[in-house]
Amino acid sequence: MLTVIMNTGGIAATNCFLIGDDVSKHAILFDAPDNTTAALLDEADKRNWTVIGLWLTHGHFDHIADHQVVTDRFPHAKVLIHRLDEPKLINPNAATFILPFTIPPRKADAYVEDNQTLLLGSHPVEVIHTPGHAPGHVMYHFADDKLLVGGDLIIAGAVGRSDLPDSDEAQLFASIRRVMQLSGDTKLLPGHGQPSFLDHERHHNPYVQLALRESP
């Protein structure tokens, strides 16, 4: 059985999720907003979970800022990101956003790729490459558990920005169309806002509806 714990914080009100497997006592932290991960790491300690990874949806500052907080507490936790977004992790203080703090630079421990299958305990996790908001944006799909860690592709009534230097609206819409082929009762854990379900976004999110209407 999986347990999902969410915390929201940082200067961009970004979500991070701690997902733990109650059998193996292993857990993964998804994304690391500034000043947000410590409470989830405390929760992992309380539950006697070992955090084995920080799996990043993409490299924007508000999703990577606390990476060192995670690895200081759990030194064996592997930091994963798509190779197209690793440059943001290596050079996290670039001038796109002027930050009131400094993010330590680092390389990934390993890369994630489209259609790759990872494991949390006995639970398979499929990596879905969903570029548009960022070239290396990915989502993590727990198909058996109908959970989707979504980052900033679909964010509960909205979608991720496509006006950033390396974003692309056409790719964003194509990624949305791909993800909306998943089961409608899949629970979406977005990078901002409240969790939702894919069917709810299909029927109530005007940006998702626009992407689906533009299907080639």
Side-chain angles (χ1 to χ4, degrees):
M1 179 178 177
L2 294 180
T3 299
V4 180
I5 307 171
M6 170 181 165
N7 197 26
T8 305
I11 61 175
T14 304
N15 297 332
C16 57
F17 297 93
L18 179 69
I19 301 183
D21 172 37
D22 295 312
V23 176
S24 68
K25 296 294 185 181
H26 286 172
I28 303 294
L29 195 72
F30 292 89
D31 291 340
D34 51 291
N35 300 300
T36 305
T37 59
L40 293 179
L41 301 178
D42 289 344
E43 190 63 33
D45 281 336
K46 290 177 187 176
R47 295 169 180 261
N48 293 315
W49 290 347
T50 299
V51 176
I52 62 169
L54 169 59
W55 297 358
L56 300 169
T57 59
H58 61 297
H60 288 155
F61 80 90
D62 57 318
H63 293 259
I64 67 170
D66 263 10
H67 69 78
Q68 188 169 311
V69 176
V70 179
T71 55
D72 282 350
R73 290 275 295 274
F74 291 90
H76 298 294
K78 302 299 183 185
V79 178
L80 307 185
I81 197 170
H82 194 282
R83 67 179 66 246
L84 292 179
D85 260 34
E86 189 191 33
K88 300 181 182 69
L89 193 58
I90 294 173
N91 184 23
N93 304 293
T96 302
F97 301 100
I98 305 302
L99 303 177
F101 50 80
T102 299
I103 303 171
R106 66 159 294 151
K107 293 183 177 180
D109 291 309
Y111 300 122
V112 291
E113 299 179 355
D114 192 37
N115 296 320
Q116 179 182 2
T117 299
L118 306 171
L119 283 174
L120 172 55
S122 63
H123 299 262
V125 187
E126 180 191 3
V127 178
I128 307 174
H129 182 212
T130 49
H133 178 63
H137 190 286
V138 300
M139 303 171 90
Y140 297 94
H141 182 215
F142 295 78
D144 294 346
D145 304 277
K146 295 189 176 179
L147 279 176
L148 181 64
V149 180
D152 286 0
L153 183 69
I154 303 169
I155 45 178
V159 296
R161 291 175 60 176
S162 59
D163 60 344
L164 300 172
D166 60 357
S167 61
D168 183 285
E169 185 178 86
Q171 285 189 333
L172 182 85
F173 279 14
S175 293
I176 290 170
R177 289 192 291 271
R178 180 183 178 188
V179 167
M180 293 306 294
Q181 295 176 27
L182 301 178
S183 176
D185 60 351
T186 299
K187 188 172 186 177
L188 173 66
L189 306 179
H192 303 270
Q194 291 301 308
S196 183
F197 288 89
L198 291 185
D199 257 353
H200 181 85
E201 297 304 309
R202 178 185 297 276
H203 295 295
H204 299 282
N205 187 324
Y207 302 95
V208 169
Q209 293 170 346
L210 177 60
L212 295 175
R213 284 199 301 272
E214 292 189 1
S215 180

